[in-house]
């Protein structure tokens, strides 16, 4: 009898297990990979980039590469949330937001101070993540979200979804995730450099036809939650020497108009010191870099190349400082450094939440460049 009861219990157990009765098949969901937000004529516009994951899975399994499988849905509304909800009536399947990798904000969203509304919604809805890459752009969002990849590679391997590998290879502006952007934006007197994406239509071709590609063309800068401007990459070159995320970057060294060599410089060590004297503050910056020579253009002693490289880097740092100071922007984070080290002094000196900067506020900029080799060349460098 006991055996019969045990068998009956075992037969009933499967009926009590919930199992996956309400699970949805993954091919019956629409996966949003990137979200673009614009503000036009007093209305929010959202662009949802949706990928065909079945295409990606087929390619990763070694199948034939077909079309990229990207669709864009555009919604419009008086608020950010209503613009998102305007997408639902035309959906043919359930849309899921938990796989978003990138957020692209137009310059208008940043300028019109609607960013708080966007961040507030991203913070409240459980499917959104704070680990998505965040960008600014001046280009039409439809162009940014529909680039064709080389050899029909999946869009998830584009610069939009995977910028870190590219930054390691050529570092200028460090890519930023949403939680980093939000935390830095809230810091007093800190300038946030939000990478700016654009479309390059000249560099790449495929089958003798132009192949537009994404490019990080500069950065939009915010200080105390206010947009201060968007600068091209060429005006932000000094930033790479002060960012400890810099992995490697190219520098052409000249003496006068004579090019000496191209250097690859790596992983700067940076120290910014506020020096207080007579109730005033000046800042000293120390930068140390290691590098190697991938190309000699004019044979010169290594010491001379190191000296000219240090001089060029100091020029780029001072240039970045002066351009920012003229636009009431603390591009070198001097005020924020004072706030961190001597908060009471910062409170005494600040005006409207920022440290007033003078030409004399930036003191010595000491740059030390050490070239450790000439790449894999067997030629011994003359020091």
């Amino acid at each position: 009898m006991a055996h019969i009861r045990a068998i009956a219990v075992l037969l009933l157990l499967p009926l009590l297990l919930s199992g996956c009765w309400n699970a949805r098949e993954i091919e019956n969901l629409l996966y949003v990979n990137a979200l673009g937000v614009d503000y036009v004529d007093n209305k929010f516009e959202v662009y949802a980039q949706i990928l065909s994951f079945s295409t990606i899975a087929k390619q990763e399994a070694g199948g034939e590469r077909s079309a990229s499988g990207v669709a864009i849905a555009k919604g419009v509304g008086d608020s950010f949330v209503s613009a998102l909800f305007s997408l639902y009536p035309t959906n043919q399947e359930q849309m899921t937001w938990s796989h978003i990798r990138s957020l692209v904000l137009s310059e208008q969203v940043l300028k019109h101070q609607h960013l708080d509304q966007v961040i507030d919604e991203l913070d409240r809805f459980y499917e959104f993540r704070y680990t998505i890459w965040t960008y600014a752009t001046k280009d039409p969002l439809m162009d940014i979200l529909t680039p064709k990849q080389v050899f029909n590679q999946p869009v998830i391997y584009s610069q939009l979804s995977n910028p870190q590998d590219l930054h390691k290879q050529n570092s200028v502006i460090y890519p930023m995730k949403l939680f980093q952007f939000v935390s830095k934006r809230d810091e007093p007197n800190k300038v946030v450099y939000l990478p700016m994406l654009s479309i390059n239509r000249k560099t790449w071709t495929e089958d003798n036809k132009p192949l537009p590609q994404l490019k990080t063309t500069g950065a939009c800068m915010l200080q105390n939650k206010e947009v201060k401007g968007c600068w091209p990459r060429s005006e932000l070159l000094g930033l790479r020497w002060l960012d400890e995320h810099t992995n490697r970057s190219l520098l052409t060294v000249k003496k006068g108009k004579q090019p000496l060599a191209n250097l690859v410089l790596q992983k700067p060590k940076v120290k910014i010191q506020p020096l207080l004297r007579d109730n005033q503050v000046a800042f000293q910056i120390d930068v140390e870099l290691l590098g190697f020579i991938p190309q000699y253009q004019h044979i010169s002693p290594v010491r001379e190349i190191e000296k000219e490289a240090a001089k060029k880097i100091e020029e780029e740092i001072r240039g970045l400082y002066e351009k920012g100071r003229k636009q009431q922007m603390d591009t070198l984070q001097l005020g924020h450094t004072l706030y961190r080290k001597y908060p009471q002094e910062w409170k005494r000196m600040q005006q409207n939440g920022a440290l007033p900067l003078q030409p004399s506020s930036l003191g010595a900029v000491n740059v030390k460049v050490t070239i450790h080799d000439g790449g894999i060349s067997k030629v011994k460098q003359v020091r």
Side-chain angles (χ1 to χ4, degrees), residues 124-367:
R124 289 172 186 273
F125 186 44
Y126 68 94
E127 283 196 17
F128 289 124
R129 300 287 182 266
Y130 260 75
T131 52
I132 55 181
W133 296 109
T134 305
Y135 305 92
T137 188
K138 291 182 176 182
D139 286 17
L141 283 166
M142 190 66 84
D143 292 349
I144 295 293
L145 297 177
T146 54
K148 186 184 173 190
Q149 286 291 93
V150 178
F151 307 133
N152 283 328
Q153 285 187 328
V155 175
I156 59 170
Y157 301 126
S158 73
Q159 189 170 154
L160 183 66
S161 304
N162 187 26
Q164 253 182 326
D165 290 345
L166 303 177
H167 182 264
K168 285 178 186 173
Q169 203 163 39
N170 183 24
S171 314
V172 176
I173 301 165
Y174 185 63
M176 189 176 293
K177 293 197 171 183
L178 183 59
F179 72 89
Q180 295 168 321
F181 173 63
V182 171
S183 66
K184 291 179 180 178
R185 179 173 170 262
D186 290 342
E187 287 284 321
N189 211 164
K190 189 172 184 68
V191 172
V192 187
Y193 293 88
L194 188 61
M196 183 168 61
L197 286 180
S198 187
I199 296 291
N200 178 289
R201 303 178 191 279
K202 298 179 180 176
T203 305
W204 286 79
T205 60
E206 190 175 76
D207 298 329
N208 287 325
K209 295 177 183 173
L211 187 66
Q213 295 289 284
L214 288 171
K215 179 183 178 183
T216 303
T217 51
C220 288
M221 289 150 290
L222 296 87
Q223 179 174 286
N224 293 335
K225 297 188 176 182
E226 181 186 351
V227 179
K228 290 290 189 178
C230 298
W231 293 358
R233 181 186 173 113
S234 59
E235 295 180 5
L236 293 165
L237 293 177
L239 187 62
R240 55 186 167 163
W241 313 123
L242 301 174
D243 187 349
E244 293 183 339
H245 294 101
T246 295
N247 188 55
R248 63 177 217 162
S249 197
L250 182 68
L251 181 73
T252 300
V253 180
K254 297 180 180 178
K255 185 169 185 178
K257 293 184 179 179
Q258 173 66 55
L260 298 181
N262 286 318
L263 307 183
V264 171
L265 300 174
Q266 302 167 306
K267 298 177 181 175
K269 292 181 180 176
V270 184
K271 190 174 182 182
I272 301 177
Q273 289 181 287
L275 306 173
L276 295 166
R277 187 174 181 181
D278 299 332
N279 291 326
Q280 299 295 319
V281 64
F283 295 85
Q284 175 180 314
I285 298 178
D286 299 292
V287 182
E288 289 186 22
L289 291 139
L290 294 175
F292 63 91
I293 304 174
Q295 183 185 19
Y296 253 124
Q297 292 175 285
H298 181 78
I299 300 298
S300 308
V302 170
R303 299 284 186 208
E304 185 178 357
I305 294 173
E306 290 174 342
K307 182 181 170 187
E308 293 300 326
K311 193 173 160 186
K312 174 76 174 171
I313 291 168
E314 182 182 349
E315 282 175 12
E316 289 187 359
I317 292 172
R318 288 191 180 278
L320 181 65
Y321 171 72
E322 276 303 315
K323 183 172 173 59
R325 191 185 64 80
K326 288 173 183 172
Q327 297 186 24
Q328 286 79 51
M329 186 165 37
D330 186 359
T331 47
L332 305 188
Q333 317 286 13
L334 303 182
H336 186 71
T337 303
L338 181 68
Y339 169 79
R340 283 285 170 198
K341 193 159 188 179
Y342 302 112
Q344 295 305 321
E345 292 297 325
W346 180 84
K347 286 178 184 174
R348 182 178 64 80
M349 296 181 195
Q350 61 86 27
Q351 293 176 11
N352 298 320
L355 182 71
L357 297 174
Q358 307 298 328
S360 58
S361 300
L362 180 60
V365 178
N366 304 312
V367 182

Side-chain angles (χ1 to χ4, degrees), residues 18-37:
S18 58
C20 302
W21 61 273
N22 62 344
R24 296 184 63 86
E25 298 294 335
I26 58 172
E27 62 269 24
N28 294 332
L29 293 170
L30 294 177
Y31 295 92
V32 181
N33 181 64
L35 186 66
V37 188

Side-chain angles (χ1 to χ4, degrees), residues 13-51:
L13 275 177
L15 300 176
L16 301 175
L17 298 175
S18 58
C20 302
W21 61 273
N22 62 344
R24 296 184 63 86
E25 298 294 335
I26 58 172
E27 62 269 24
N28 294 332
L29 293 170
L30 294 177
Y31 295 92
V32 181
N33 181 64
L35 186 66
V37 188
D38 200 355
Y39 191 77
V40 181
D41 297 333
N42 298 321
K43 287 187 180 295
F44 277 91
E45 292 184 353
V46 297
Y47 297 78
Q49 182 197 62
I50 299 163
L51 302 188

